[in-house]
Amino acid sequence: MKRATRFQAAGLAVLCGLMLLAFLSSIRFGIVQLPWGSVMDAFFSFDGSRDHLIIRSVRLPRAIIAVIVGSALAVAGCMMQAISRNALAGPEVFGINYGAALTAVLASYYLGTTSLKLFAWSSLLGAAAAGVLVFVLSSAGRPAMSPVRLVLAGATLNLLFASLTQGMLIMNEQSLDTMRFWLAGALTGRDMELLLHVLPYVMTGLIAAFILSSQLNIFKLGEEVAQGLGQRLKLIRIGCMVVIVLLAGSAVAIAGPIGFIGLAVPHMARMLTGGNYRLAVPYSAVLGALLLLAADIGARYVLPGQEIPVGVVTAFFGAPFLIYLVQRKETSS
């Protein structure tokens, strides 16, 4: 047991090292190529030059936001899969992504502004509203708040919110033009001021997720066995849902609805930890940050001379992964 624990701790340290390398690479690589020396000098010997300004005002905030958003989405997906006992669950299925997008579109339409701060606060409000609706719908009837009800309520609301969002954009062409880049999921144009607005919610969610991680293994026992052991599953599930709303809602508020990070990363984390959620949660946080940093670097080189939204890159690699999961699930059953 101690040997396995040391091995998993070493694995987490290796992933943190890879994340740091990806973080520095995100600062260096892009349309404007910067030498490694300038990256180091921008931190320790800032002189106000063009390269240093690009690093301090553009690349560094973007890399930090990628770490925060990637970690938040991955941990939210890990908890979603744990409480629903569904390998295909994620923030997208929970209705949070399009719940946040719908309120952002409504705020833009009725207030006539495209401020990123407006998107952040309105989408955070929409994510919270979506989470409450999922809770209410999944709690109605018997059995109350079962995994099946939870997923069905989230998927139904997600489709409803997506349809309403598309309808609003079709009716208002100006909103479509100004919001299509944000709706694709992007890290460009974000600054530290925007991140600081939602950072308290992200940190609260991550700390709570680490605290609750030791309780997530209970759901693998099944409803009847866990309740027979005296576990208060309903309270644990409610706490997890609040954490999911905080993490996924904050991530969407900052970067828009980036897909597949919350779906794919928890599977990778469980493969490395043997399905122990106490370790899978911190693994998911580091892996989510690492993969979103890598996807953001790739988004700068897909098209020569321009960048594409990082959400397009995650969808490009995430869609085959989803197909693989579905096929594996059908084969195993």
Side-chain angles (χ1 to χ4, degrees):
M1 183 63 70
K2 291 183 178 180
R3 182 179 180 182
T5 302
R6 288 197 298 267
F7 177 78
Q8 289 164 340
L12 187 60
V14 171
L15 288 177
C16 289
L18 291 175
M19 185 188 71
L20 178 59
L21 178 61
F23 183 86
L24 294 174
S25 298
S26 177
I27 295 175
R28 183 197 173 190
F29 295 108
I31 295 177
V32 178
Q33 295 289 337
L34 301 172
W36 283 112
S38 294
V39 175
M40 297 296 106
D41 290 341
F43 293 108
F44 302 108
S45 303
F46 182 75
D47 59 10
S49 64
R50 186 204 66 163
D51 288 354
H52 287 187
L53 287 174
I54 290 175
I55 292 170
R56 294 280 287 267
S57 62
V58 179
R59 298 274 179 87
L60 179 60
R62 181 171 176 173
I64 294 174
I65 290 172
V67 169
I68 297 296
V69 171
S71 296
L73 288 175
V75 172
C78 186
M79 301 191 76
M80 182 65 187
Q81 291 175 13
I83 65 174
S84 65
R85 286 184 285 133
N86 189 330
L88 302 179
E92 303 90 347
V93 180
F94 203 61
I96 290 177
N97 279 7
Y98 272 104
L102 176 60
T103 51
V105 171
L106 288 172
S108 175
Y109 178 76
Y110 286 107
L111 299 180
T113 179
T114 57
S115 168
L116 285 177
K117 291 182 182 179
L118 173 68
F119 288 169
W121 287 111
S122 58
S123 58
L124 191 59
L125 178 63
V132 171
L133 285 174
V134 170
F135 168 76
V136 171
L137 290 177
S138 61
S139 299
R142 293 183 180 277
M145 205 185 295
S146 66
V148 175
R149 285 181 177 270
L150 193 63
V151 173
L152 286 177
T156 302
L157 286 176
N158 200 55
L159 289 173
L160 174 62
F161 294 150
S163 299
L164 293 174
T165 301
Q166 295 301 323
M168 287 291 299
L169 292 176
I170 290 173
M171 290 189 299
N172 187 359
E173 186 176 350
Q174 182 179 359
S175 295
L176 175 62
D177 292 337
T178 54
M179 292 196 64
R180 58 186 175 184
F181 196 78
W182 182 83
L183 287 172
L187 299 174
T188 56
R190 278 58 171 171
D191 54 25
M192 292 302 297
E193 183 180 358
L194 180 64
L195 174 63
L196 291 176
H197 282 294
V198 296
L199 187 60
Y201 304 104
V202 178
M203 298 310 299
T204 300
L206 288 175
I207 293 172
F210 294 144
I211 294 173
L212 289 170
S213 62
S214 60
Q215 304 294 323
L216 295 179
N217 291 319
I218 296 171
F219 291 97
K220 295 191 295 184
L221 301 175
E223 298 284 326
E224 295 182 359
V225 175
Q227 290 176 355
L229 294 174
Q231 300 296 330
R232 307 179 70 177
L233 291 184
K234 186 174 181 179
L235 288 178
I236 297 173
R237 190 174 280 124
I238 291 174
C240 290
M241 290 176 65
V242 172
V243 172
I244 291 169
V245 169
L246 286 174
L247 293 177
S250 299
V252 175
I254 300 172
I258 297 175
F260 293 103
I261 294 292
L263 172 67
V265 170
H267 289 275
M268 302 176 188
R270 286 196 298 272
M271 289 174 59
L272 295 172
T273 60
N276 183 357
Y277 280 101
R278 190 171 184 176
L279 294 171
V281 169
Y283 264 76
S284 294
V286 178
L287 276 170
L290 172 60
L291 290 184
L292 192 57
L293 282 167
D296 188 43
I297 295 172
R300 306 170 193 181
Y301 293 97
V302 174
L303 297 177
Q306 61 179 328
E307 298 182 11
I308 64 173
V310 68
V312 176
V313 177
T314 59
F316 180 79
F317 290 102
F321 187 82
L322 177 60
I323 295 172
Y324 163 74
L325 286 179
V326 173
Q327 291 180 338
R328 190 181 69 172
K329 190 175 181 64
E330 291 179 350
T331 302
S332 60
S333 60

